[in-house]
Amino acid sequence: MPDWPEVLAPGKLVLLGEYAVLDGAPSLVIAINRGVRCEILPGEGIETPDGDTRFVAPALATAPKARYRFSNWNPVDLPGKPGFGGSAAACVAACVAAGRPATDAFSIHHQVQGGGSGIDVAASVHGGTLRFQSGNVSPARALLPSVIYSGQSAKTGPRVRQYRAWSDETARAAFIERSAELVDLADSDPITALRENGRLLEEMAAAVGLAYMTGSLSQIIALAEARGGTAKASGAGGGDCAVAVFPDEERRTDFERACDGAGFPPIPVAMADGACIAERSR
């Protein structure tokens, strides 16, 4: 049987710097092995799990004739849908499948989405742990957190729009400055950096009137703090996943066991490289 290529594009977890990244502040993001697969098959057409081709069709407009079949790579079997930047990963996978630079996904995704920082695209393109700022990326200290699902998915768009409408320029500037300081702190003291960033985001959300913290996320944070670590929402908040870090593996394991027992399932993840073409036998 011939070998038909496929593209694997990783998803993302934002560790620090949410919201402030929209104003040009730095943030930390990790590419994970839960993203999008694009199979390149004989035939013609584009297939996606939900029929939505908005983020892939522009990238494939000049691609060689083939059947491009998109699916979740290493999906999570949980109620709701934990968000790992699927539209960005799909866009990156489509660019690679079409034989064009993966970085073309920045402009394509931005145009289709109508905004955003590009942090999710950067993670999928470059892989690893990255410091991201205004479209520029550099390697950051490798940091693989525990990932816990809060039990409900959350929409990013409405929260981003509320943040963008924040009119208190003095408070907003102070938030951006402090967020940048905490991203820098993460290299030497990730536990303190995540803890303080989580509190900073809660303060910002209260000032803006943004639905950020939930009861489930509060419980997950309390379980982490009781074990000498810390946790915070990853991304826009309002549900979805929390990330947590600990001084040692014993306390991390105990935390994950406690979360699972409380009805908040841990999601195993591994750090991933950037989008790439692989050969698979058919």
Side-chain angles (χ1 to χ4, degrees):
M1 296 293 290
D3 287 338
W4 297 98
E6 67 178 4
V7 178
L8 300 178
K12 65 89 175 70
L13 279 172
V14 180
L15 302 180
L16 293 105
E18 295 95 333
Y19 291 99
V21 69
L22 295 164
D23 284 315
S27 60
L28 290 182
V29 64
I30 178 173
I32 60 170
N33 64 334
R34 296 187 181 274
V36 171
R37 168 185 283 108
C38 175
E39 297 170 281
I40 307 171
L41 302 167
E44 188 173 1
I46 301 173
E47 300 175 19
T48 65
D50 58 3
D52 185 356
T53 63
R54 291 174 301 150
F55 292 95
V56 300
L60 294 170
T62 59
K65 180 180 176 180
R67 178 180 164 211
Y68 296 91
R69 184 169 67 191
F70 294 83
S71 59
N72 294 322
W73 169 39
N74 200 13
V76 180
D77 184 17
L78 290 171
K81 184 182 178 184
F84 296 128
S87 66
C91 190
V92 172
C95 286
V96 175
R100 59 195 299 172
T103 51
D104 284 0
F106 283 103
S107 60
I108 295 171
H109 192 265
H110 187 273
Q111 183 174 2
V112 175
Q113 188 181 53
S117 67
I119 190 171
D120 44 3
V121 176
S124 196
V125 169
H126 298 284
T129 305
L130 302 172
R131 178 188 173 101
F132 175 89
Q133 185 173 16
S134 299
N136 298 310
V137 298
S138 57
R141 172 186 174 180
L143 180 63
L144 187 64
S146 292
V147 182
I148 308 296
Y149 186 44
S150 70
Q152 65 183 58
S153 59
K155 293 185 180 296
T156 298
R159 292 172 176 80
V160 167
R161 287 192 290 272
Q162 282 183 269
Y163 173 78
R164 288 192 182 280
W166 192 8
S167 59
D168 187 335
E169 294 184 4
T170 301
R172 187 165 177 165
F175 166 74
I176 294 166
E177 180 180 5
R178 181 57 177 156
S179 180
E181 292 171 353
L182 293 172
V183 169
D184 290 338
L185 178 63
D187 186 59
S188 59
D189 190 352
I191 292 178
T192 298
L194 260 73
R195 179 182 293 121
E196 293 302 316
N197 189 229
R199 292 171 179 171
L200 180 69
L201 287 162
E202 288 187 61
E203 293 170 0
M204 177 277 293
V208 177
L210 186 157
Y212 178 78
M213 188 55 62
T214 68
S216 296
L217 288 169
S218 294
Q219 291 181 60
I220 294 168
I221 292 169
L223 290 171
E225 294 287 342
R227 289 160 177 79
T230 196
K232 62 177 283 292
S234 172
D240 231 310
C241 292
V243 289
V245 292
F246 295 88
D248 54 61
E249 285 301 313
E250 183 178 357
R251 280 180 272 196
R252 178 203 288 261
T253 300
D254 185 45
F255 163 75
E256 292 183 354
R257 187 181 302 115
C259 284
D260 201 26
F264 307 122
I267 300 176
V269 300
M271 191 178 303
D273 293 330
C276 63
I277 297 175
E279 295 292 328
R280 55 176 180 76
S281 180
R282 284 298 186 199

